Amino acid sequence: MARRTEPPDGGWGWMVVLSAFFQSALVFGVLRSFGVFFVKFVAAFEEQAARVSWIASIGIAVQQFGSPIGSALSTKFGPRPVVMTGGILAALGMLLASFATSLTHLYLSIGLISGSGWALTFTPTLACLSRYFSRRRSLAMGLALTGVGLSSFAFAPLFQWLLNHYAWRGALMLVSALSFHLVACGSLLRPLSLAEDSAVGGPGAQLISLLHNGPFLRYTIALTLINTGYFIPYVHLVAHLQDLGWDPLPAAFILSVAAIADLVGRVVSGWLGDAIPGPVARLLILWTTLTGVLLVLFPVAQASTALVVLAVAYGFTSGALTPVAFSVVPELVGTGRMYCGLGLVQMVESIGGLLGAPLSGYLRDVTGNYTVSFVVAGAFLLAGSGVLITLPYSFSCCPAPTSRSQDLVIEAPHTKVPLSKEEGLGKD
């Protein structure tokens, strides 16, 4: 590994962006399009919506709760072998799910095994990416995460077509084949060693530091609230539209329309995050608030035109909040603690991912429709936006401290850290 004093802002980093692009597609693109399978699972196993919702929720929760394990393994062995192992697990879980005879089998195969594979791929890759960029970090994140939007556009109708021609078992086998490409994506990762890595300490020391970081803890709570409502449309929007009398294929196409807007939102938000001076937390507050409002409006819309407009608007704002959400982490903890910080955030916010979809399904079973489900989902995002307002510099005219300055200004025993260019900032 090359040892550098600061992120190169390019170079092999663009290959890491390419790897992250395909990984985000094969992890969250699959998860966000999995609502197409929802109706088939309800019919095949004759179960209530709340119980079937646990399949995706367990997968999301395991992916996020297991992220610290992926981060710790990447710190010790590097991200490449960890991500390649995760790709094997993700594909294996989908393959075993095609032989399921009960919901429990799907909980274990998709939820636990594939979820564990996703935990070993997504977070280590984004942490590796963030170490390659500083000034253009938000743009790099936005470009990498456009894979979610493109794959959601392609996967929702593709999965519906596969279900129509091969039934759900055959469709899961082919999804398994797609997931195996995560192994190739992992092979593109080249670990980067930065000068400040030795100063931040090992995973234990980093964890203690993060647990005493008040803004970071508040940010983690905010993302947990956001995560509770964020995935609801991707799990239950197709079922909601079918309740309104839509055919399955046009209902799945609505997810594709939202995915196009999601793609545009990620790129625009990533560019704005780097172009507008000041902390990117302000952009995150804006996109989160708009997404929460749009979720509340979904049950109000009945006409096809209104639903398409809402889907486009929701896709844009929900996509826009993602790259800036990841870009805020190094602003709070520094690039040297990125593996540990991002892993801890993903672990805690898994609580929201675990509870969100089952809660929505339960409310549907109780009320007979998805009206309350979408309203509650929007309320969670608005609550998360309220917590984000408490972060430092959220509405200050002063720029937030850069991740590079946080990386260099680290307390070490008997060490005076330079604070200005005249005093030696920038020297090894």
Side-chain angles (χ1 to χ4, degrees):
M1 293 187 296
R3 190 170 183 85
R4 303 180 63 98
T5 58
E6 60 183 59
D9 259 322
W12 190 260
W14 295 116
M15 293 301 295
V16 179
V17 170
L18 179 65
S19 173
F21 171 86
F22 285 108
Q23 288 192 51
S24 64
L26 294 172
V27 175
F28 283 99
V30 170
L31 272 172
R32 290 170 65 165
S33 303
F34 220 70
V36 176
F37 287 88
F38 181 84
V39 177
K40 295 294 183 181
F41 289 154
V42 171
F45 297 105
E46 298 180 349
E47 295 283 357
Q48 293 183 330
R51 293 199 63 194
V52 176
S53 299
W54 279 100
I55 300 171
S57 291
I58 292 173
I60 295 170
V62 171
Q63 180 269 319
Q64 294 175 333
F65 195 79
S67 292
I69 299 176
S71 298
L73 291 174
S74 297
T75 302
K76 184 173 180 61
F77 301 107
R80 181 180 294 164
V82 175
V83 172
M84 294 177 72
T85 302
I88 295 173
L89 288 175
L92 178 62
M94 289 293 177
L95 179 62
L96 293 176
S98 65
F99 298 98
T101 57
S102 69
L103 279 185
T104 302
H105 295 160
L106 294 178
Y107 294 159
L108 294 174
S109 56
I110 297 176
L112 184 59
I113 299 177
S114 289
S116 298
W118 297 330
L120 297 180
T121 57
F122 186 71
T123 302
T125 300
L126 287 191
C128 180
L129 169 62
S130 70
R131 293 167 62 82
Y132 272 89
F133 293 90
S134 178
R135 291 181 295 105
R136 292 182 284 186
R137 181 179 290 130
S138 293
L139 178 60
M141 284 285 184
L143 292 174
L145 294 172
T146 54
V148 180
L150 281 175
S151 60
S152 298
F153 171 73
F155 286 172
L158 172 63
F159 289 175
Q160 187 63 58
W161 185 86
L162 292 176
L163 285 170
N164 293 340
H165 287 78
Y166 300 104
W168 64 269
R169 296 185 186 275
L172 285 176
M173 288 184 182
L174 294 172
V175 174
S176 171
L178 279 175
S179 298
F180 196 70
H181 289 78
L182 287 168
V183 178
C185 294
S187 67
L188 291 175
L189 300 182
R190 180 184 295 173
L192 179 67
S193 178
L194 300 176
E196 68 269 13
D197 289 348
S198 59
V200 298
Q206 294 181 38
L207 178 61
I208 293 174
S209 174
L210 293 174
L211 293 178
H212 288 83
N213 188 330
F216 172 76
L217 294 178
R218 294 198 299 274
Y219 181 71
T220 303
I221 293 172
L223 284 194
T224 303
L225 293 170
I226 293 170
N227 205 42
T228 305
Y230 182 84
F231 290 99
I232 299 307
Y234 297 103
V235 177
H236 289 146
L237 180 58
V238 172
H240 171 62
L241 294 176
Q242 291 188 33
D243 283 352
L244 296 178
W246 287 50
D247 292 330
L249 195 57
F253 183 73
I254 284 289
L255 288 182
S256 298
V257 172
I260 297 175
D262 178 289
L263 170 65
V264 177
R266 288 168 191 263
V267 177
V268 171
S269 179
W271 175 77
L272 288 175
D274 293 330
I276 298 178
V280 294
R282 289 182 291 186
L283 275 177
L284 180 58
I285 293 170
L286 172 65
W287 301 133
T288 302
T289 302
L290 292 176
T291 304
V293 171
L294 291 169
L295 277 175
V296 173
L297 293 177
F298 257 112
V300 179
Q302 299 292 325
S304 300
T305 303
L307 287 166
V308 171
V309 170
L310 275 178
V312 170
Y314 171 79
F316 182 90
T317 58
S318 64
L321 71 84
T322 306
V324 291
F326 288 108
S327 297
V328 170
V329 178
E331 284 191 354
L332 295 174
V333 304
T335 307
R337 299 184 180 90
M338 187 61 185
Y339 276 110
C340 188
L342 187 56
L344 185 59
V345 166
Q346 291 266 286
M347 182 188 73
V348 177
E349 71 174 350
S350 67
I351 299 172
L354 179 65
L355 298 179
L359 175 62
S360 177
Y362 170 76
L363 292 173
R364 195 272 180 201
D365 291 335
V366 171
T367 62
N369 56 57
Y370 286 99
T371 299
V372 178
S373 299
F374 280 98
V375 171
V376 171
F380 275 113
L381 270 86
L382 294 175
S385 182
V387 178
L388 288 173
I389 295 175
T390 68
L391 294 180
Y393 306 102
S394 292
F395 290 99
S396 171
C397 296
C398 302
T402 63
S403 62
R404 182 170 180 259
S405 65
Q406 290 192 41
D407 296 336
L408 293 176
V409 184
I410 299 171
E411 295 182 2
H414 313 297
T415 302
K416 180 181 179 181
V417 181
L419 296 177
S420 68
K421 204 163 191 175
E422 291 74 12
E423 296 173 342
L425 182 63
K427 295 182 180 179
D428 292 346

